[in-house]
Amino acid sequence: MRTFGSLLVRGLIVGLFAGLLAGAFAYTMGEPHIDAAIAIEEAGAAHTHDHGDAAASSEEEEPLVSRNGQRAGLFLATTLYGVALGGIFAVGFTLLRRKLRTGNDSYAALGLAAAGFIGIVLVPFLKYPPNPPAVGDPETITRRTVTYLLTLVIGLLAVWAGVAASRWAARYGDIARPAGGVAAFLVTIVAAYLILPSINEVPGSFPATLLWQFRFASLGTQATLWLLLGFGYAVAVDRRLSRQKVVAA
């Protein structure tokens, strides 16, 4: 019988590798778009200086961390995030395993990862997609952070509502079960999207192609992390592999 400690260690190890590979994806696919956005911002600042805006020139400060330092910190950030997420995922798997209606631990891990990605990543992304560093008003960062976290909580509640509705609708047949779950999920999300304020601080002069390339790179980084976390943990808790090791021994 596996203990909580062994499940937690597996989650931390899987999260470590998932975070490293997600960092590699972000470095390859996301960093070029960040550099392009910073170049646009610097070009705008240079244009301001050329027009003799002395006040803006005096307020300009050197960044606290250089771009090379930020690139190195990217891997550290994604790795730490992956380890923390792997630990949380292991705790959630331990607490929810008996409530998941499947006898296969691997399927349970994959289902939990899919639900986490939808609720934690996809739902907030569709309402408040991320913006490059050159986009956004620093004075509204608190408001944007609060609304984003609120959307994250709503995403998890929507997933829970979908699961609860699908189980309730199962009594009416096999078709009613997925239909009820999807309907409850969509109703919750649509109602939340209509209530939450819209935030759009992207200037009209910013290239739309670069904006969405950055956003999809950010989404791809999260998708890589959750995909590797789900499949990695599914392999780590697969009882068939454990039995094969015992037989081989």
Side-chain angles (χ1 to χ4, degrees):
M1 181 179 294
R2 293 171 299 188
T3 62
F4 169 71
S6 66
L7 293 174
L8 179 61
V9 170
R10 296 179 192 189
L12 294 175
I13 294 175
V14 171
L16 172 65
F17 287 101
L20 284 172
L21 294 177
F25 181 93
Y27 182 84
T28 304
M29 304 301 296
E31 283 298 311
H33 306 313
I34 294 178
D35 291 337
I38 293 176
I40 293 175
E41 184 180 26
E42 292 176 349
H47 180 73
T48 302
H49 295 165
D50 292 340
H51 284 74
D53 192 343
S57 177
S58 62
E59 293 178 358
E60 183 179 359
E61 298 180 357
E62 292 294 330
L64 297 177
V65 182
S66 64
R67 283 295 295 143
N68 292 330
Q70 293 174 8
R71 293 187 184 97
L74 171 65
F75 287 92
L76 177 61
T78 57
T79 301
L80 293 177
Y81 178 67
V83 172
L85 188 61
I88 296 173
F89 187 86
V91 173
F93 179 85
T94 304
L95 296 176
L96 300 175
R97 176 63 188 94
R98 294 183 179 181
K99 297 182 180 180
L100 300 177
R101 298 182 179 180
T102 175
N104 191 307
D105 288 344
S106 298
Y107 291 162
L110 292 174
L112 188 61
F117 174 76
I118 293 173
I120 297 175
V121 177
L122 192 58
V123 171
F125 176 86
L126 295 177
K127 179 62 177 178
Y128 301 117
N131 293 326
V135 176
D137 185 2
E139 296 182 357
T140 62
I141 187 171
T142 301
R143 179 192 177 194
R144 287 184 279 127
T145 301
V146 171
T147 52
Y148 179 85
L149 293 177
L150 182 60
T151 311
L152 189 151
V153 174
I154 293 173
L156 293 176
L157 291 176
V159 171
W160 173 83
V163 173
S166 65
R167 291 181 176 180
W168 176 82
R171 68 184 70 181
Y172 298 103
D174 296 336
I175 299 178
R177 180 175 181 179
V182 172
F185 175 82
L186 292 178
V187 168
T188 305
I189 295 301
V190 171
Y193 281 5
L194 293 176
I195 295 174
L196 291 172
S198 297
I199 300 176
N200 184 15
E201 299 179 347
V202 181
S205 59
F206 194 87
T209 301
L210 177 60
L211 175 66
W212 283 103
Q213 285 176 342
F214 172 82
R215 288 176 173 178
F216 283 123
S218 301
L219 181 62
T221 301
Q222 290 285 352
T224 300
L225 178 63
W226 280 93
L227 184 67
L228 294 174
L229 180 63
F231 277 98
Y233 202 77
V235 173
V237 298
D238 193 343
R239 296 180 181 273
R240 294 173 297 179
L241 297 178
S242 302
R243 295 193 189 100
Q244 291 176 2
K245 292 179 181 179
V246 172
V247 173

